Amino acid sequence: MAAKYSIPRGTFDILPENSYKWEYLKTTFKKVCETFCFKEITTPIFEKAELFERSSGESSDIVQKEMYKFTDKKGRVFALRPEGTAPVVRSFVENNLDKSSPVNKLFYYGPMFRYDRPQKGRYRQFYQFGAENFGSKTPYSDAEMIAMAYSFIKKLGLKNIRLEINSLGTKSSMENYDQALKEYFTPHFDDLCPDCQKRLEKNPKRLLDCKVKSCKQIAKDAPNLLEYLSDEDAKHFEEVQKFLKLMNVPFVINPKIVRGLDYYTNTVFEFLNDNLGAQNAIIAGGRYNNLVSEVGGNNIPAIGFAGGFSRLLLSLEIENLFMGEQSKPDIYFAAIGQEVKESATKIIQELRINGFKVEFDFEKGSLKSQLKSANKLKTRFVAIYGEDEIQKKSLVIKDFFDSSQEEILVKDVINYFSKKIS
RNA sequence: GUGGGUGUAGCUCAGUUGGCAGAGUACAUGAUUGUGGUUCAUGGUGUCGUGGGUUCGAGCCCCAUCUCCCACCCCA
């Protein structure tokens, strides 16, 4: 053992025995997105570091300490993407997608990178899926986005997941609220945990979801964000709720949801699974009406979400749900003797070209061991080919379902299996 | 970045007061030479995470280091 090289900390291999599960998640997500008429977009896994510094907020932890930054040979500073929204916005702006269509509905998935301490549901290279809607500012588009995430969760069959929504309002109401929070918490300053004392200046909304008991106690009577929304923002939020109800998407309002990235405005939402431990957010997102212009585009409203595949997988495992199936051979080709095996390769290639999944072991000797392999691979059909069959230009086909056997002519083999295997 | 736990066969794990490295499972082969599943027999591998130290002797004790797990933090 004692392998010479080991995998980098906080990363993981997806081995053959699990690959199909990831594939299942990806294809299911894709299918759901397509029912909402979203189109796939793929961007590079690295971008100019500045893109993330600008979009996520200079002060966020992601930018401050979690980015994998590097400099290329010409001194350009890049970062492995820590999240998916900024690159999609960059591509949207750079390719002038808004010019050819007033609304663009996009989805993506792929690896993201953050230098975090690894933990359950948290890795340094992790796989996210996400979707963005550019160009639509109606409350309906907020609800549609949430409904799409909800549909994905439903499609997977997950039950123990709840949706929480909130509205942060626009910039002015957010500033008013921050001010109110500061006024409320400052008299209690000495009773706050050290983290919260820091947060009070930097990002007072963070005080609301502190886990320290004493802070929680103080935060209980803090001013409510929803009361600081402008009339217009409040109306928007109410309309979103109206559409969610119409679409039968159950939710609860949690005025304490705060998103980690600076760019959110108005609606924010989280899909949570409390059985996952500390990293309980499965899908999270919100509206970001100012980000496109901030990255250099026109003043285009947008809303989106992102989710983590491994947290989703954990959730599926906990609820013991279907996670796709490993691909298995249609036919195991058992040939007896070296000369027969050589002659078999021609038939096998013919079968494979016609789309059948055919397993064949050129080295295994006895028929018995080949049948054992076929059984282990859960193959239904075994084609038995030996001296007798060569003479007769035939094949014996054994069906493991009922242990029946029949002899067919080699020239009919494609036809035969076309009927047997759909 | 901080704290707690952890590491022994491919996998899941035993391993006594420090005294020859173990089980289950999986894998491979075989049971009158062309018929799987069940059964039986046989077989193999370990730098005991890594590097030091204590000791006649270390899987076990001490120090360091790394990994993974859990929590803080942060977030998907």
Side-chain angles (χ1 to χ4, degrees):
Chain A
M1 251 215 344
K4 194 168 174 184
Y5 298 108
S6 56
I7 193 166
R9 177 158 203 212
T11 66
F12 54 91
D13 295 319
I14 302 174
L15 297 173
E17 66 200 59
N18 286 317
S19 285
Y20 69 92
K21 298 177 187 170
W22 291 78
E23 194 57 39
Y24 169 68
L25 291 180
K26 279 193 283 187
T27 54
T28 306
F29 179 63
K30 201 168 172 168
K31 272 186 214 154
V32 170
C33 288
E34 282 166 357
T35 62
F36 283 77
C37 301
F38 279 58
K39 291 175 186 158
E40 185 167 354
I41 182 167
T42 304
T43 64
I45 60 168
F46 66 100
E47 297 272 354
K48 286 208 175 107
E50 195 191 330
L51 172 66
F52 302 109
E53 284 156 4
R54 176 69 62 85
S55 61
S56 302
E58 306 272 0
S59 68
S60 71
D61 275 19
I62 291 180
V63 167
Q64 286 281 304
K65 44 191 188 191
E66 295 176 7
M67 276 214 293
Y68 278 95
K69 272 167 94 165
F70 63 96
T71 306
D72 78 355
K73 288 186 180 178
K74 287 207 170 162
R76 291 173 282 227
V77 182
F78 292 110
L80 297 180
R81 60 183 181 195
E83 56 106 22
T85 297
V88 172
V89 173
R90 189 230 81 222
S91 177
F92 171 81
V93 171
E94 192 170 357
N95 294 293
N96 296 309
L97 296 186
D98 58 314
K99 300 283 165 41
S100 49
S101 165
V103 175
N104 280 272
K105 300 193 287 186
L106 307 172
F107 74 91
Y108 63 87
Y109 46 68
M112 309 289 163
F113 306 83
R114 287 183 205 172
Y115 189 88
D116 250 1
R117 185 103 175 231
Q119 196 182 319
K120 184 173 189 173
R122 188 171 80 184
Y123 301 94
R124 288 183 176 180
Q125 174 171 341
F126 56 105
Y127 297 84
Q128 277 196 343
F129 54 91
E132 322 286 351
N133 175 323
F134 295 103
S136 180
K137 62 174 195 297
T138 66
Y140 167 72
S141 58
D142 299 42
E144 183 185 76
M145 190 56 83
I146 295 171
M148 187 162 88
Y150 179 73
S151 304
F152 183 35
I153 282 166
K154 278 284 131 186
K155 184 115 190 167
L156 293 171
L158 289 166
K159 293 198 172 61
N160 298 323
I161 295 197
R162 63 170 201 281
L163 165 62
E164 294 188 350
I165 63 170
N166 190 21
S167 175
L168 302 175
T170 43
K171 207 165 184 185
S172 64
S173 46
M174 243 187 283
E175 278 165 3
N176 287 340
Y177 183 58
D178 280 355
Q179 193 52 39
L181 285 176
K182 280 183 194 168
E183 279 164 24
Y184 172 80
F185 280 108
T186 303
H188 300 284
F189 188 82
D190 293 335
D191 300 324
L192 296 170
C193 71
D195 283 330
C196 282
Q197 294 182 345
K198 267 181 252 153
R199 288 192 268 241
L200 185 54
E201 198 43 48
K202 223 173 65 180
N203 190 353
K205 284 192 284 295
R206 279 266 165 228
L207 294 207
L208 296 173
D209 59 7
C210 181
K211 282 166 192 164
V212 178
K213 254 182 254 151
S214 51
C215 296
K216 262 186 175 167
Q217 190 60 34
I218 299 168
K220 215 175 60 180
D221 299 318
N224 187 333
L225 170 52
L226 296 174
E227 286 162 15
Y228 285 76
L229 294 181
S230 67
D231 289 350
E232 200 188 337
D233 292 339
K235 187 171 175 247
H236 183 97
F237 191 42
E238 259 167 47
E239 294 268 297
V240 172
Q241 294 172 52
K242 182 185 83 185
F243 283 115
L244 286 176
K245 281 174 192 156
L246 280 172
M247 291 188 278
N248 231 337
V249 177
F251 63 90
V252 293
I253 296 172
N254 177 357
K256 295 190 176 167
I257 293 185
V258 195
R259 309 277 39 261
L261 304 169
D262 282 0
Y263 50 64
Y264 289 107
T265 56
N266 292 97
T267 315
V268 292
F269 57 94
E270 292 183 348
F271 289 84
L272 304 167
N273 182 348
D274 293 321
N275 297 321
L276 292 187
Q279 310 300 322
N280 64 348
I282 284 197
I283 298 176
R287 184 162 275 289
Y288 49 97
N289 287 344
N290 304 318
L291 183 57
V292 177
S293 57
E294 199 128 321
V295 171
N298 295 322
N299 192 15
I300 289 167
I303 180 163
F305 67 73
F309 276 130
S310 47
R311 292 183 189 179
L312 218 43
L313 207 55
L314 278 175
S315 306
L316 289 173
E317 272 162 16
I318 289 169
E319 294 192 29
N320 211 359
L321 293 167
F322 178 77
M323 288 182 278
E325 278 171 313
Q326 181 88 268
S327 167
K328 60 185 185 196
D330 298 319
I331 304 156
Y332 190 100
F333 208 102
I336 306 141
Q338 277 313 300
E339 271 172 49
V340 180
K341 278 183 188 291
E342 277 177 32
S343 153
T345 56
K346 189 183 168 198
I347 308 170
I348 291 163
Q349 178 64 5
E350 191 66 22
L351 282 165
R352 286 173 173 165
I353 279 178
N354 279 276
F356 296 104
K357 296 183 274 184
V358 185
E359 183 57 294
F360 175 57
D361 191 327
F362 193 79
E363 293 170 44
K364 266 199 162 55
S366 69
L367 175 61
K368 187 170 196 142
S369 67
Q370 295 186 70
L371 286 171
K372 266 189 184 173
S373 293
N375 191 59
K376 208 166 60 188
L377 293 167
K378 298 186 165 68
T379 315
R380 177 170 173 184
F381 296 103
V382 178
I384 299 170
Y385 194 53
E387 296 291 346
D388 298 352
E389 286 78 12
I390 284 199
Q391 292 300 314
K392 290 190 270 179
K393 293 186 168 40
S394 70
L395 280 167
V396 171
I397 307 298
K398 187 177 174 76
D399 183 343
F400 275 166
F401 269 25
D402 52 11
S403 295
S404 66
Q405 235 171 252
E406 61 181 313
E407 192 161 357
I408 63 164
L409 289 175
V410 170
K411 67 179 173 60
D412 297 331
V413 70
I414 302 293
N415 231 326
Y416 176 82
F417 281 122
S418 297
K419 280 176 197 149
K420 289 277 186 181
I421 300 164
S422 53

